Amino acid sequence: MRILVWATTLQADILALALSLDQRDDIELMVVAEGLSAYLRQPIAAVRPMRAAMHERDEDATRHAVERFRADIVVCDNHFPAFAAAPRVCSLWHGLGWKARPGADIRTYCRAVERLTGIDPTKPNPRFLAQCYAEPDRLWRTEQWGLAPENCRTIGMAFSDLLKSPPYGKEDLASYYELDIGARKNVLVNVTWHYGRFVPGTWKPGLLAAPFDSDIQFFDALFSRAHDHGANVLLCMHDRKRYEARYLTAIRALARRFGRVAIRHKDEFPDNLTDLLVADAMVSNLSSFVTFMYVLGKPTVHICPPPNARVRFTRFHRSRLRARGADDQPPWMNDPSDNGGLSAFDDDGALTALDRALAEPDCCRERAHAWVGRHVWRPDGHTCERLQQALRALGEVA
């Protein structure tokens, strides 16, 4: 069986699946992704080198290579090939978080599945498989997205396999970081760009176009508090291109002033498994990335919108962040209060929560375990095996 992995970035679930497929002799694998040159410089590529052919997604020769490969199945995360890459599709999600995808994205998703398989995924489609993390996730895809229940399979979180049995430890990663990660605690600050800014003020309408002083003030306070604890800060941000130049300039200046802050853009440091393993605590504005910390049982701080706050998300258009219009979907797939850590609704609350997270390393362990129990099916180290079995069955469909 020939499987094509078509990834936005080789991270998380789709990375875990690709690595597991690459070890099988009965599967011929091809990997297409963005940012392969950066990926190949990462620790994961050194300790788990792939045998499969790998192609940069936007290179001109990639389509020809894919068409010659003649895949039986294409596995995608949140983007699909624009051509007939394979007659069967397995869809993995980009992560299990809180923000719901807008209705326009769902319609685009359904059209892409129908274009590749010939069948609308809102109808039973034997050539389409949608991976689901657990029953709440499966119900969301069927009831809110309208995917046919026959197409949705509860399999779990493939990345949990790597989290439970990582290919390296913290002690192996010291040379990879510019900071002394072994001698100090490490605070992982993970930023989703979907709200335009980071701090709670972004939940208010009309602030998307406002100056970003509130963000810089918050990071200043956060870096200072981490410094008081003698901790490093790993500031993990999305691709560099998704931010305004003046925003990045201000953050870099702030990082230089504190001296123990490493800025890690997704397109430059795609191996975020390393960040999860070296981190002692995480602060996030509801990025799905924070849910991986739950599997590790580490403390997390969630910057949440005030109850009943109006939520405005953003889109990235012509190198600028712009507010999305009104949507026909609810804003949240999972309620922000349903998380596996500490919730904060303002700057002071976030700093107080960080104090606790660094002082009490087990303060979120039970809550994180309970969240995983509700939202992730059987994180037993064998999720990739179950996904491989599902792919085998999908590949047998005519």
Side-chain angles (χ1 to χ4, degrees):
M1 185 165 63
R2 293 182 297 277
I3 296 179
L4 168 66
V5 168
W6 185 275
T8 306
T9 306
L10 277 175
Q11 290 182 334
D13 290 312
I14 203 162
L15 169 63
L17 176 63
L19 290 174
S20 70
L21 290 172
D22 193 58
Q23 297 179 35
R24 296 190 58 130
D25 293 329
D26 59 340
I27 289 175
E28 190 175 352
L29 181 68
M30 175 179 284
V31 175
V32 174
E34 287 185 348
L36 284 181
S37 60
Y39 172 82
L40 292 172
R41 294 192 297 267
Q42 302 303 291
I44 191 68
V47 300
R48 294 284 299 274
M50 287 199 192
R51 301 178 299 175
M54 304 179 76
H55 298 272
E56 187 69 35
R57 198 175 75 176
D58 294 331
E59 285 185 355
D60 292 340
T62 295
R63 174 169 177 169
H64 181 59
V66 169
E67 290 175 337
R68 284 190 290 109
F69 182 63
R70 297 177 60 85
D72 299 297
I73 300 170
V74 57
V75 180
C76 310
D77 47 19
N78 59 343
H79 290 96
F80 293 80
F83 57 94
R88 304 169 189 84
V89 174
C90 173
S91 171
L92 307 186
W93 314 123
H94 204 51
L96 175 60
W98 293 269
K99 188 186 79 69
R101 288 177 71 171
D105 284 7
I106 297 170
R107 291 187 286 274
T108 298
Y109 173 97
C110 290
R111 286 195 296 268
V113 173
E114 183 173 8
R115 173 172 48 79
L116 289 168
T117 66
I119 302 173
D120 183 343
T122 63
K123 300 178 176 62
N125 183 348
R127 293 194 288 274
F128 171 61
L129 168 65
Q131 162 262 347
C132 299
Y133 290 103
E135 185 63 10
D137 184 40
R138 192 190 69 82
L139 289 175
W140 182 266
R141 308 302 171 184
T142 57
E143 295 177 359
Q144 295 293 330
W145 284 37
L147 299 182
E150 295 88 343
N151 304 333
C152 299
R153 185 80 56 82
T154 298
I155 295 172
M157 178 187 286
F159 196 44
S160 66
D161 290 6
L162 283 179
L163 292 169
K164 287 183 170 293
S165 298
Y168 38 57
K170 183 176 180 178
E171 64 281 359
D172 303 314
L173 299 169
S175 63
Y176 176 61
Y177 287 89
E178 60 195 76
L179 305 175
D180 189 347
I181 60 166
R184 300 180 182 275
K185 288 189 174 182
N186 302 290
V187 177
L188 181 55
V189 182
N190 190 254
V191 181
T192 178
W193 61 277
H194 284 295
Y195 318 117
R197 304 283 183 240
F198 186 89
V199 300
T202 60
W203 306 118
K204 300 175 184 178
L207 285 188
L208 189 62
F212 50 75
D213 293 350
S214 56
D215 265 27
I216 302 305
Q217 291 170 7
F218 175 73
F219 285 131
D220 192 331
L222 186 67
F223 296 171
S224 179
R225 187 61 59 91
H227 191 276
D228 291 344
H229 285 273
N232 300 317
V233 173
L234 307 177
L235 179 59
C236 291
M237 305 178 71
H238 216 290
D239 299 346
R240 186 182 290 271
K241 67 183 180 181
R242 292 189 181 273
Y243 300 96
E244 303 150 280
R246 60 186 185 131
Y247 186 83
L248 293 179
T249 297
I251 289 177
R252 285 196 294 269
L254 195 62
R256 285 194 299 271
R257 180 157 65 82
F258 281 94
R260 292 204 298 265
V261 179
I263 300 174
R264 300 172 62 77
H265 286 281
K266 176 181 174 180
D267 53 336
E268 297 168 354
F269 300 95
D271 184 5
N272 49 27
L273 176 61
T274 65
D275 300 324
L276 292 163
L277 296 179
V278 306
D280 295 280
M282 184 192 290
V283 179
S284 180
N285 57 348
L286 298 179
S287 166
S288 61
F289 184 52
V290 74
T291 63
F292 300 134
M293 284 285 274
Y294 302 166
V295 178
L296 299 173
K298 296 181 180 181
T300 52
V301 178
H302 305 73
I303 310 293
C304 297
N308 302 317
R310 179 184 176 190
V311 179
R312 293 296 299 274
F313 298 110
T314 69
R315 60 191 179 96
F316 194 74
H317 182 66
R318 294 183 179 178
S319 301
R320 291 186 61 189
L321 287 171
R322 303 173 188 272
R324 284 191 181 274
D327 192 58
D328 54 358
Q329 289 288 311
W332 303 113
M333 181 175 71
N334 295 306
D335 190 279
S337 65
D338 180 13
N339 63 62
L342 307 173
S343 297
F345 302 96
D346 55 32
D347 296 16
D348 290 340
L351 298 178
T352 300
L354 178 60
D355 288 338
R356 185 181 178 194
L358 289 173
E360 304 174 38
D362 291 328
C363 65
C364 299
R365 191 172 297 276
E366 290 186 9
R367 183 172 169 85
H369 180 74
W371 192 95
V372 170
R374 294 191 302 273
H375 294 280
V376 180
W377 190 61
R378 292 178 63 187
D380 54 6
H382 299 287
T383 306
C384 286
E385 293 177 23
R386 294 194 294 272
L387 192 46
Q388 289 175 16
Q389 292 169 4
L391 289 173
R392 174 63 64 187
L394 181 64
E396 293 173 353
V397 174

